[in-house]
Amino acid sequence: IYSYNQLPIRAINFSEESDVKLHNKLVNLVEQMLETKDRLQTARTDRDQKFYEDKCAMLERQINLLVYEIYNLSTKEILLIENAS
């Protein structure tokens, strides 16, 4: 059994411009995802529901790709993660 302190959490160095850009991009994507999920919950038509489901899937993919970049994951590591889920 693992404890949380064993998780490889990457610290953001806010004095490093590249880290700040990655952080801000991730925050923006997460905010978009939260807004899109809210809109999905209130969608009235099948067409709107499909639109917001597709947008959530697209945002999730963008978030995943950014996290892979933040952690400098190799193609092999990414495939391992994606095939496990």
Side-chain angles (χ1 to χ4, degrees):
I1 295 179
Y2 293 99
S3 65
Y4 290 111
N5 62 354
Q6 292 175 306
L7 292 174
I9 305 299
R10 184 184 175 290
I12 302 295
N13 180 353
F14 286 98
S15 54
E16 188 68 41
E17 185 178 346
S18 60
D19 271 14
V20 172
K21 284 182 179 181
L22 289 171
H23 169 268
N24 291 344
K25 189 173 180 180
L26 184 59
V27 167
N28 181 271
L29 288 170
V30 170
E31 287 173 346
Q32 287 182 58
M33 176 67 89
L34 293 171
E35 180 181 335
T36 302
K37 292 269 187 182
D38 285 344
R39 292 183 183 264
L40 176 59
Q41 295 300 316
T42 59
R44 294 183 181 195
T45 66
D46 289 343
R47 181 177 175 207
D48 286 347
Q49 187 171 9
K50 174 75 170 121
F51 172 81
Y52 290 117
E53 287 172 350
D54 290 346
K55 187 171 180 179
C56 282
M58 185 247 340
L59 288 166
E60 180 178 6
R61 182 71 183 142
Q62 288 180 334
I63 290 168
N64 288 345
L65 291 172
L66 187 55
V67 169
Y68 301 155
E69 180 182 344
I70 289 170
Y71 280 88
N72 295 314
L73 297 182
S74 68
T75 303
K76 184 178 178 181
E77 290 167 325
I78 293 168
L79 288 172
L80 183 65
I81 291 167
E82 291 187 352
N83 289 332
S85 55

Coordinates of all heavy atoms in Angstrom, one line a residue:
I1 N 0.9 -1.2 0.0 CA 0.0 0.0 0.0 C 0.9 1.2 0.0 O 1.9 1.3 0.8 CB -0.9 0.0 1.2 CG1 -1.9 -1.2 1.1 CG2 -1.7 1.3 1.3 CD1 -2.9 -1.3 2.3
Y2 N 0.5 2.2 -0.8 CA 1.3 3.4 -1.0 C 0.6 4.5 -0.1 O -0.6 4.6 0.0 CB 1.3 3.9 -2.4 CG 2.1 3.0 -3.3 CD1 1.5 2.0 -4.1 CD2 3.5 3.0 -3.3 CE1 2.2 1.2 -4.9 CE2 4.3 2.2 -4.1 CZ 3.6 1.3 -4.9 OH 4.3 0.4 -5.7
S3 N 1.4 5.4 0.4 CA 0.9 6.6 1.0 C 1.1 7.8 0.1 O 1.9 7.8 -0.8 CB 1.6 6.8 2.4 OG 3.0 7.1 2.1
Y4 N 0.4 8.9 0.4 CA 0.4 10.0 -0.5 C 1.8 10.7 -0.6 O 2.1 11.2 -1.7 CB -0.6 11.1 0.0 CG -2.0 10.7 -0.3 CD1 -2.9 10.4 0.8 CD2 -2.5 10.6 -1.6 CE1 -4.2 10.0 0.6 CE2 -3.8 10.2 -1.8 CZ -4.7 9.9 -0.7 OH -5.9 9.5 -0.9
N5 N 2.6 10.6 0.4 CA 3.9 11.2 0.4 C 4.8 10.4 -0.6 O 5.9 10.9 -0.8 CB 4.5 11.4 1.8 CG 4.7 10.0 2.5 OD1 4.3 9.0 2.0 ND2 5.3 10.1 3.6
Q6 N 4.4 9.3 -1.1 CA 5.2 8.5 -2.0 C 4.9 8.9 -3.5 O 5.6 8.5 -4.4 CB 5.1 7.0 -1.8 CG 5.7 6.6 -0.5 CD 5.4 5.1 -0.2 OE1 4.2 4.7 -0.3 NE2 6.4 4.3 0.0
L7 N 3.8 9.7 -3.7 CA 3.4 10.1 -5.0 C 4.4 11.1 -5.6 O 4.9 12.0 -4.8 CB 2.0 10.6 -5.0 CG 0.9 9.7 -4.7 CD1 -0.4 10.4 -4.6 CD2 0.8 8.6 -5.8
P8 N 4.8 11.0 -6.8 CA 5.8 11.9 -7.4 C 5.1 13.2 -7.8 O 4.8 13.5 -9.0 CB 6.3 11.1 -8.6 CG 5.1 10.3 -9.1 CD 4.4 9.9 -7.8
I9 N 4.8 14.1 -6.9 CA 4.2 15.4 -7.1 C 5.3 16.3 -7.6 O 6.3 16.5 -6.9 CB 3.5 15.9 -5.9 CG1 2.5 14.9 -5.3 CG2 2.9 17.3 -6.2 CD1 1.4 14.6 -6.3
R10 N 5.1 16.9 -8.7 CA 6.1 17.8 -9.3 C 5.8 19.2 -8.8 O 4.7 19.7 -9.0 CB 6.1 17.8 -10.8 CG 7.2 18.7 -11.4 CD 7.1 18.7 -12.9 NE 7.9 19.6 -13.6 CZ 7.9 20.9 -13.6 NH1 7.0 21.6 -12.9 NH2 8.7 21.6 -14.3
A11 N 6.7 19.9 -8.1 CA 6.5 21.2 -7.6 C 6.6 22.2 -8.8 O 7.5 22.0 -9.7 CB 7.5 21.6 -6.6
I12 N 5.8 23.2 -8.8 CA 5.9 24.3 -9.7 C 6.8 25.4 -9.2 O 6.6 25.9 -8.1 CB 4.5 24.9 -10.0 CG1 3.5 23.9 -10.5 CG2 4.6 26.1 -11.0 CD1 3.8 23.2 -11.8
N13 N 7.8 25.7 -10.0 CA 8.7 26.8 -9.6 C 8.2 28.1 -10.2 O 8.4 28.4 -11.4 CB 10.1 26.5 -10.1 CG 11.1 27.5 -9.8 OD1 10.8 28.6 -9.2 ND2 12.4 27.3 -10.1
F14 N 7.6 28.9 -9.4 CA 6.9 30.1 -9.8 C 7.9 31.2 -10.2 O 7.5 32.3 -10.7 CB 5.9 30.6 -8.8 CG 4.6 29.8 -8.8 CD1 4.5 28.8 -7.9 CD2 3.7 29.9 -9.8 CE1 3.4 28.0 -7.9 CE2 2.5 29.1 -9.8 CZ 2.4 28.1 -8.8
S15 N 9.2 31.0 -10.0 CA 10.2 32.0 -10.5 C 10.7 31.6 -11.8 O 11.5 32.3 -12.4 CB 11.3 32.2 -9.5 OG 11.9 31.0 -9.1
E16 N 10.2 30.5 -12.3 CA 10.6 30.0 -13.7 C 9.5 30.2 -14.6 O 8.4 29.6 -14.5 CB 11.0 28.5 -13.6 CG 11.6 27.9 -14.8 CD 13.0 28.4 -15.1 OE1 13.8 28.5 -14.1 OE2 13.3 28.6 -16.2
E17 N 9.7 31.0 -15.7 CA 8.7 31.4 -16.6 C 8.0 30.2 -17.3 O 6.8 30.2 -17.4 CB 9.2 32.4 -17.6 CG 8.1 32.9 -18.6 CD 8.7 33.9 -19.6 OE1 9.8 34.4 -19.4 OE2 7.9 34.2 -20.5
S18 N 8.8 29.2 -17.6 CA 8.2 28.1 -18.3 C 7.3 27.3 -17.4 O 6.2 26.8 -17.8 CB 9.3 27.1 -18.9 OG 10.1 26.7 -17.8
D19 N 7.6 27.2 -16.1 CA 6.7 26.5 -15.1 C 5.5 27.3 -14.9 O 4.4 26.7 -14.9 CB 7.5 26.4 -13.8 CG 8.2 25.1 -13.7 OD1 8.5 24.4 -14.7 OD2 8.6 24.7 -12.5
V20 N 5.6 28.6 -14.9 CA 4.4 29.5 -14.7 C 3.5 29.3 -15.9 O 2.2 29.2 -15.7 CB 4.8 30.9 -14.5 CG1 3.6 31.9 -14.5 CG2 5.6 31.1 -13.2
K21 N 4.0 29.3 -17.1 CA 3.2 29.1 -18.3 C 2.5 27.8 -18.3 O 1.3 27.7 -18.6 CB 4.0 29.2 -19.6 CG 4.4 30.6 -19.9 CD 5.2 30.7 -21.2 CE 5.6 32.1 -21.5 NZ 6.3 32.2 -22.8
L22 N 3.2 26.7 -17.9 CA 2.5 25.4 -17.8 C 1.4 25.4 -16.8 O 0.3 24.9 -17.0 CB 3.6 24.3 -17.5 CG 4.5 23.9 -18.6 CD1 5.6 23.0 -18.1 CD2 3.8 23.3 -19.8
H23 N 1.7 26.0 -15.6 CA 0.7 26.0 -14.6 C -0.5 26.8 -15.0 O -1.6 26.3 -14.8 CB 1.4 26.7 -13.3 CG 0.4 27.1 -12.3 ND1 -0.3 28.3 -12.3 CD2 -0.1 26.4 -11.2 CE1 -1.1 28.4 -11.3 NE2 -1.0 27.2 -10.6
N24 N -0.3 28.0 -15.6 CA -1.4 28.8 -16.1 C -2.3 28.1 -17.1 O -3.5 28.2 -17.1 CB -1.0 30.1 -16.6 CG -0.4 31.0 -15.4 OD1 -0.6 30.7 -14.2 ND2 0.3 32.0 -15.8
K25 N -1.6 27.4 -18.0 CA -2.3 26.6 -19.1 C -3.1 25.5 -18.4 O -4.3 25.3 -18.8 CB -1.3 26.1 -20.1 CG -1.9 25.5 -21.3 CD -0.9 25.1 -22.3 CE -1.5 24.5 -23.5 NZ -0.5 24.1 -24.6
L26 N -2.6 24.8 -17.5 CA -3.3 23.7 -16.8 C -4.5 24.3 -16.0 O -5.6 23.7 -16.1 CB -2.4 23.0 -15.9 CG -3.0 21.7 -15.2 CD1 -3.5 20.7 -16.2 CD2 -2.0 21.1 -14.3
V27 N -4.3 25.4 -15.3 CA -5.4 26.0 -14.6 C -6.5 26.4 -15.5 O -7.7 26.2 -15.3 CB -4.9 27.2 -13.8 CG1 -6.1 28.0 -13.2 CG2 -4.0 26.7 -12.6
N28 N -6.2 27.0 -16.7 CA -7.1 27.4 -17.7 C -7.9 26.2 -18.2 O -9.2 26.3 -18.3 CB -6.5 28.2 -18.8 CG -7.4 28.7 -19.8 OD1 -7.7 27.9 -20.8 ND2 -7.9 29.9 -19.6
L29 N -7.2 25.1 -18.5 CA -7.9 24.0 -19.0 C -8.9 23.4 -18.0 O -10.0 23.0 -18.3 CB -6.9 22.9 -19.5 CG -6.2 23.2 -20.8 CD1 -5.0 22.2 -21.0 CD2 -7.1 23.2 -22.0
V30 N -8.5 23.3 -16.8 CA -9.3 22.8 -15.7 C -10.5 23.7 -15.5 O -11.7 23.2 -15.3 CB -8.5 22.6 -14.4 CG1 -9.4 22.3 -13.2 CG2 -7.5 21.5 -14.5
E31 N -10.3 25.0 -15.5 CA -11.5 25.9 -15.4 C -12.5 25.7 -16.6 O -13.7 25.7 -16.3 CB -11.0 27.3 -15.4 CG -10.4 27.7 -14.0 CD -9.7 29.1 -14.0 OE1 -9.5 29.7 -15.1 OE2 -9.4 29.6 -12.9
Q32 N -11.9 25.5 -17.8 CA -12.8 25.2 -18.9 C -13.6 23.9 -18.7 O -14.8 23.8 -19.1 CB -12.0 25.1 -20.2 CG -11.5 26.5 -20.7 CD -10.7 26.3 -22.0 OE1 -11.3 25.7 -23.0 NE2 -9.5 26.7 -22.0
M33 N -12.9 22.9 -18.2 CA -13.5 21.6 -18.0 C -14.7 21.8 -16.9 O -15.7 21.2 -17.2 CB -12.5 20.6 -17.5 CG -13.1 19.3 -17.1 SD -13.8 18.3 -18.5 CE -12.3 17.5 -19.0
L34 N -14.4 22.5 -15.9 CA -15.5 22.7 -14.8 C -16.7 23.4 -15.4 O -17.8 23.0 -15.2 CB -14.9 23.4 -13.6 CG -13.8 22.7 -12.8 CD1 -13.2 23.6 -11.8 CD2 -14.4 21.5 -12.1
E35 N -16.4 24.4 -16.2 CA -17.5 25.1 -16.8 C -18.3 24.3 -17.8 O -19.5 24.3 -17.8 CB -17.0 26.4 -17.6 CG -18.1 27.2 -18.2 CD -17.5 28.4 -19.0 OE1 -16.4 28.9 -18.6 OE2 -18.2 28.8 -19.9
T36 N -17.5 23.5 -18.6 CA -18.2 22.6 -19.6 C -19.0 21.5 -18.9 O -20.1 21.2 -19.3 CB -17.1 22.0 -20.5 OG1 -16.4 23.0 -21.1 CG2 -17.7 21.1 -21.6
K37 N -18.5 21.0 -17.8 CA -19.2 20.0 -17.0 C -20.5 20.6 -16.5 O -21.6 19.9 -16.5 CB -18.4 19.4 -15.9 CG -17.2 18.6 -16.3 CD -17.6 17.1 -16.4 CE -16.3 16.3 -16.6 NZ -16.6 14.9 -16.8
D38 N -20.5 21.8 -16.0 CA -21.7 22.5 -15.5 C -22.7 22.6 -16.7 O -23.9 22.4 -16.5 CB -21.4 23.9 -15.0 CG -20.7 23.8 -13.6 OD1 -20.8 22.8 -12.9 OD2 -20.1 24.8 -13.2
R39 N -22.2 23.0 -17.8 CA -23.1 23.2 -19.0 C -23.7 21.8 -19.4 O -24.8 21.8 -19.9 CB -22.4 23.9 -20.1 CG -22.1 25.4 -19.8 CD -21.4 26.0 -21.0 NE -21.0 27.4 -20.6 CZ -21.8 28.5 -20.9 NH1 -23.0 28.3 -21.5 NH2 -21.4 29.7 -20.6
L40 N -22.9 20.8 -19.3 CA -23.4 19.5 -19.7 C -24.5 19.1 -18.8 O -25.5 18.5 -19.3 CB -22.2 18.5 -19.6 CG -22.6 17.0 -19.8 CD1 -23.2 16.8 -21.2 CD2 -21.3 16.1 -19.6
Q41 N -24.4 19.4 -17.5 CA -25.5 19.0 -16.6 C -26.8 19.8 -16.9 O -27.9 19.2 -16.5 CB -25.0 19.4 -15.1 CG -23.9 18.5 -14.6 CD -24.2 17.1 -14.6 OE1 -25.3 16.6 -14.2 NE2 -23.3 16.3 -15.1
T42 N -26.7 20.9 -17.5 CA -27.9 21.7 -17.8 C -28.3 21.7 -19.2 O -29.2 22.4 -19.6 CB -27.7 23.2 -17.3 OG1 -26.6 23.7 -18.0 CG2 -27.5 23.2 -15.8
A43 N -27.6 20.8 -20.0 CA -28.0 20.7 -21.5 C -29.4 20.2 -21.6 O -29.8 19.3 -21.0 CB -27.0 19.8 -22.2
R44 N -30.1 20.9 -22.5 CA -31.5 20.5 -22.7 C -31.8 19.6 -23.9 O -32.8 18.9 -23.9 CB -32.4 21.8 -22.8 CG -32.4 22.6 -21.5 CD -33.2 23.8 -21.7 NE -33.2 24.5 -20.4 CZ -34.0 25.5 -20.1 NH1 -35.0 25.8 -20.9 NH2 -33.9 26.1 -19.0
T45 N -30.9 19.6 -24.9 CA -31.1 18.8 -26.0 C -30.0 17.8 -26.2 O -28.9 17.9 -25.6 CB -31.1 19.7 -27.3 OG1 -29.8 20.2 -27.5 CG2 -32.2 20.8 -27.2
D46 N -30.3 16.7 -26.9 CA -29.3 15.7 -27.2 C -28.1 16.3 -27.9 O -27.0 15.9 -27.6 CB -29.9 14.6 -28.0 CG -30.9 13.7 -27.2 OD1 -30.9 13.8 -26.0 OD2 -31.7 13.0 -27.8
R47 N -28.4 17.2 -28.8 CA -27.3 17.9 -29.6 C -26.4 18.6 -28.6 O -25.2 18.5 -28.7 CB -27.9 18.8 -30.6 CG -26.9 19.5 -31.5 CD -27.6 20.3 -32.5 NE -26.6 21.0 -33.3 CZ -26.8 22.2 -33.9 NH1 -28.0 22.7 -33.8 NH2 -25.9 22.8 -34.5
D48 N -27.0 19.4 -27.7 CA -26.1 20.2 -26.7 C -25.4 19.2 -25.8 O -24.2 19.4 -25.5 CB -27.0 21.1 -25.9 CG -27.5 22.3 -26.7 OD1 -26.9 22.6 -27.8 OD2 -28.4 23.0 -26.2
Q49 N -26.0 18.1 -25.4 CA -25.4 17.2 -24.5 C -24.2 16.6 -25.2 O -23.1 16.4 -24.7 CB -26.4 16.1 -24.1 CG -25.8 15.2 -23.0 CD -26.8 14.3 -22.4 OE1 -28.0 14.2 -22.9 NE2 -26.4 13.5 -21.4
K50 N -24.4 16.2 -26.5 CA -23.3 15.6 -27.3 C -22.1 16.6 -27.4 O -21.0 16.2 -27.3 CB -23.8 15.1 -28.6 CG -22.8 14.6 -29.6 CD -22.3 13.2 -29.2 CE -21.5 12.7 -30.4 NZ -20.1 12.3 -30.0
F51 N -22.5 17.8 -27.7 CA -21.5 18.9 -27.9 C -20.6 19.0 -26.6 O -19.4 19.0 -26.7 CB -22.1 20.2 -28.2 CG -21.2 21.4 -28.2 CD1 -20.4 21.6 -29.3 CD2 -21.1 22.2 -27.1 CE1 -19.5 22.7 -29.3 CE2 -20.2 23.3 -27.0 CZ -19.4 23.5 -28.2
Y52 N -21.3 19.1 -25.4 CA -20.5 19.2 -24.2 C -19.8 18.0 -23.8 O -18.7 18.0 -23.2 CB -21.4 19.7 -23.1 CG -21.9 21.2 -23.3 CD1 -23.2 21.5 -23.5 CD2 -20.9 22.2 -23.4 CE1 -23.6 22.8 -23.8 CE2 -21.3 23.5 -23.6 CZ -22.6 23.8 -23.8 OH -23.0 25.1 -24.1
E53 N -20.3 16.8 -24.1 CA -19.6 15.6 -23.9 C -18.3 15.5 -24.7 O -17.2 15.2 -24.2 CB -20.4 14.3 -24.2 CG -21.5 14.1 -23.2 CD -22.5 13.0 -23.6 OE1 -22.5 12.6 -24.8 OE2 -23.3 12.6 -22.8
D54 N -18.4 15.9 -26.0 CA -17.2 15.9 -26.9 C -16.2 17.0 -26.4 O -15.0 16.7 -26.4 CB -17.7 16.3 -28.3 CG -18.4 15.1 -29.0 OD1 -18.4 14.0 -28.4 OD2 -19.0 15.4 -30.0
K55 N -16.7 18.1 -26.0 CA -15.8 19.2 -25.5 C -15.1 18.7 -24.2 O -13.9 18.9 -24.1 CB -16.6 20.5 -25.2 CG -15.7 21.6 -24.8 CD -16.4 22.9 -24.8 CE -15.4 24.0 -24.4 NZ -16.1 25.4 -24.4
C56 N -15.8 18.0 -23.3 CA -15.1 17.4 -22.1 C -14.0 16.4 -22.5 O -13.0 16.5 -21.9 CB -16.2 16.7 -21.2 SG -17.2 17.9 -20.3
A57 N -14.3 15.6 -23.5 CA -13.3 14.6 -23.9 C -12.1 15.3 -24.5 O -11.0 14.9 -24.2 CB -14.0 13.7 -24.9
M58 N -12.3 16.4 -25.3 CA -11.2 17.1 -25.9 C -10.4 17.8 -24.8 O -9.2 17.7 -24.8 CB -11.8 18.1 -26.9 CG -10.7 18.9 -27.6 SD -10.5 20.7 -27.3 CE -12.0 21.3 -26.6
L59 N -11.1 18.4 -23.8 CA -10.4 19.1 -22.7 C -9.6 18.1 -21.9 O -8.5 18.3 -21.5 CB -11.3 19.9 -21.9 CG -11.9 21.1 -22.5 CD1 -13.1 21.7 -21.7 CD2 -10.8 22.2 -22.6
E60 N -10.2 16.9 -21.6 CA -9.5 15.9 -20.9 C -8.2 15.4 -21.6 O -7.2 15.3 -20.9 CB -10.4 14.7 -20.6 CG -9.8 13.6 -19.8 CD -10.7 12.4 -19.6 OE1 -11.8 12.4 -20.1 OE2 -10.3 11.5 -18.8
R61 N -8.3 15.3 -22.9 CA -7.1 14.9 -23.6 C -6.0 16.0 -23.5 O -4.8 15.7 -23.4 CB -7.5 14.6 -25.1 CG -6.4 14.2 -26.0 CD -5.9 12.8 -25.6 NE -4.8 12.4 -26.4 CZ -3.8 11.6 -26.0 NH1 -3.8 11.2 -24.8 NH2 -2.8 11.4 -26.8
Q62 N -6.4 17.2 -23.7 CA -5.5 18.3 -23.6 C -4.8 18.4 -22.2 O -3.6 18.6 -22.1 CB -6.1 19.7 -23.9 CG -6.5 19.9 -25.3 CD -7.1 21.2 -25.6 OE1 -7.8 21.8 -24.7 NE2 -7.0 21.7 -26.8
I63 N -5.6 18.2 -21.2 CA -5.1 18.1 -19.8 C -4.1 17.0 -19.6 O -3.0 17.2 -19.1 CB -6.2 18.0 -18.8 CG1 -7.0 19.3 -18.7 CG2 -5.7 17.7 -17.4 CD1 -8.4 19.3 -18.0
N64 N -4.5 15.8 -20.1 CA -3.6 14.7 -20.0 C -2.2 15.0 -20.7 O -1.2 14.7 -20.2 CB -4.2 13.4 -20.6 CG -5.3 12.9 -19.7 OD1 -5.4 13.2 -18.6 ND2 -6.1 12.0 -20.3
L65 N -2.3 15.5 -21.9 CA -1.1 15.8 -22.7 C -0.2 16.8 -21.9 O 1.0 16.7 -21.9 CB -1.4 16.3 -24.1 CG -2.0 15.3 -25.1 CD1 -2.5 16.0 -26.3 CD2 -1.0 14.2 -25.4
L66 N -0.8 17.8 -21.3 CA -0.1 18.8 -20.6 C 0.6 18.2 -19.4 O 1.7 18.5 -19.0 CB -1.0 20.0 -20.2 CG -0.3 21.2 -19.6 CD1 0.8 21.7 -20.5 CD2 -1.3 22.2 -19.3
V67 N -0.1 17.3 -18.7 CA 0.4 16.6 -17.5 C 1.6 15.8 -17.9 O 2.6 15.7 -17.3 CB -0.6 15.8 -16.8 CG1 0.0 14.9 -15.7 CG2 -1.7 16.7 -16.1
Y68 N 1.5 15.1 -19.1 CA 2.6 14.3 -19.6 C 3.8 15.2 -19.8 O 4.9 14.8 -19.5 CB 2.2 13.5 -20.9 CG 1.0 12.6 -20.8 CD1 0.3 12.3 -21.9 CD2 0.7 12.0 -19.6 CE1 -0.8 11.4 -21.8 CE2 -0.4 11.1 -19.5 CZ -1.1 10.8 -20.6 OH -2.2 10.0 -20.5
E69 N 3.5 16.4 -20.4 CA 4.6 17.3 -20.6 C 5.3 17.8 -19.3 O 6.5 17.9 -19.2 CB 4.1 18.5 -21.4 CG 5.2 19.5 -21.8 CD 4.6 20.7 -22.5 OE1 3.5 20.6 -23.1 OE2 5.3 21.7 -22.6
I70 N 4.4 18.1 -18.3 CA 4.9 18.6 -17.1 C 5.8 17.6 -16.4 O 6.8 17.9 -15.8 CB 3.7 19.0 -16.1 CG1 3.0 20.3 -16.7 CG2 4.2 19.1 -14.7 CD1 1.7 20.6 -16.0
Y71 N 5.5 16.3 -16.5 CA 6.2 15.2 -15.9 C 7.3 14.7 -16.8 O 8.0 13.7 -16.5 CB 5.3 14.1 -15.4 CG 4.7 14.5 -14.1 CD1 3.5 15.1 -14.0 CD2 5.3 14.1 -12.9 CE1 2.9 15.5 -12.8 CE2 4.7 14.4 -11.7 CZ 3.5 15.1 -11.6 OH 2.9 15.4 -10.4
N72 N 7.4 15.3 -18.0 CA 8.4 14.8 -19.0 C 8.4 13.3 -19.2 O 9.4 12.6 -19.2 CB 9.9 15.2 -18.5 CG 10.1 16.7 -18.5 OD1 9.7 17.4 -19.4 ND2 10.6 17.2 -17.4
L73 N 7.2 12.8 -19.4 CA 7.0 11.4 -19.6 C 7.4 11.0 -21.0 O 7.2 11.7 -22.0 CB 5.5 11.0 -19.4 CG 5.0 11.2 -18.0 CD1 3.5 10.7 -17.9 CD2 5.8 10.5 -17.0
S74 N 8.0 9.8 -21.1 CA 8.3 9.2 -22.4 C 7.1 8.6 -23.1 O 6.1 8.4 -22.5 CB 9.4 8.1 -22.2 OG 8.8 7.0 -21.6
T75 N 7.2 8.3 -24.4 CA 6.1 7.7 -25.1 C 5.8 6.4 -24.5 O 4.6 6.0 -24.3 CB 6.6 7.5 -26.6 OG1 6.9 8.7 -27.1 CG2 5.4 6.9 -27.4
K76 N 6.8 5.6 -24.0 CA 6.5 4.3 -23.4 C 5.7 4.5 -22.1 O 4.8 3.8 -21.8 CB 7.9 3.6 -23.1 CG 7.7 2.3 -22.5 CD 9.1 1.6 -22.3 CE 9.0 0.3 -21.7 NZ 10.3 -0.4 -21.5
E77 N 6.1 5.5 -21.3 CA 5.4 5.8 -20.0 C 3.9 6.2 -20.3 O 3.0 5.8 -19.6 CB 6.1 6.8 -19.2 CG 7.4 6.3 -18.7 CD 8.3 7.5 -18.1 OE1 8.3 8.6 -18.7 OE2 9.0 7.2 -17.1
I78 N 3.8 7.0 -21.3 CA 2.4 7.5 -21.7 C 1.5 6.3 -22.1 O 0.4 6.2 -21.7 CB 2.5 8.6 -22.8 CG1 3.1 9.9 -22.2 CG2 1.1 8.9 -23.3 CD1 3.5 10.9 -23.3
L79 N 2.1 5.5 -22.9 CA 1.3 4.3 -23.4 C 1.0 3.4 -22.2 O -0.2 2.9 -22.1 CB 2.1 3.5 -24.4 CG 2.2 4.2 -25.8 CD1 3.2 3.4 -26.7 CD2 0.9 4.3 -26.5
L80 N 1.9 3.2 -21.3 CA 1.6 2.4 -20.1 C 0.4 3.0 -19.3 O -0.5 2.3 -18.9 CB 2.9 2.4 -19.2 CG 2.8 1.5 -18.0 CD1 2.6 0.1 -18.3 CD2 4.0 1.7 -17.1
I81 N 0.4 4.3 -19.1 CA -0.6 5.0 -18.4 C -2.0 4.9 -19.1 O -3.0 4.5 -18.6 CB -0.3 6.5 -18.2 CG1 0.8 6.6 -17.2 CG2 -1.5 7.3 -17.7 CD1 1.5 8.0 -17.1
E82 N -2.0 5.2 -20.4 CA -3.2 5.2 -21.2 C -3.8 3.8 -21.4 O -5.0 3.6 -21.4 CB -3.0 5.8 -22.5 CG -2.8 7.3 -22.4 CD -2.7 8.1 -23.6 OE1 -2.7 7.5 -24.7 OE2 -2.7 9.3 -23.6
N83 N -2.9 2.7 -21.4 CA -3.4 1.4 -21.5 C -3.9 0.8 -20.2 O -4.7 -0.1 -20.2 CB -2.3 0.5 -22.1 CG -2.1 0.8 -23.6 OD1 -3.0 1.2 -24.3 ND2 -0.9 0.5 -24.0
A84 N -3.5 1.4 -19.1 CA -3.9 1.0 -17.8 C -5.3 1.5 -17.4 O -5.9 0.9 -16.6 CB -2.9 1.4 -16.7
S85 N -5.7 2.6 -18.1 CA -7.0 3.1 -17.7 C -8.1 2.8 -18.7 O -8.0 2.1 -19.6 CB -6.9 4.7 -17.6 OG -6.4 5.2 -18.8

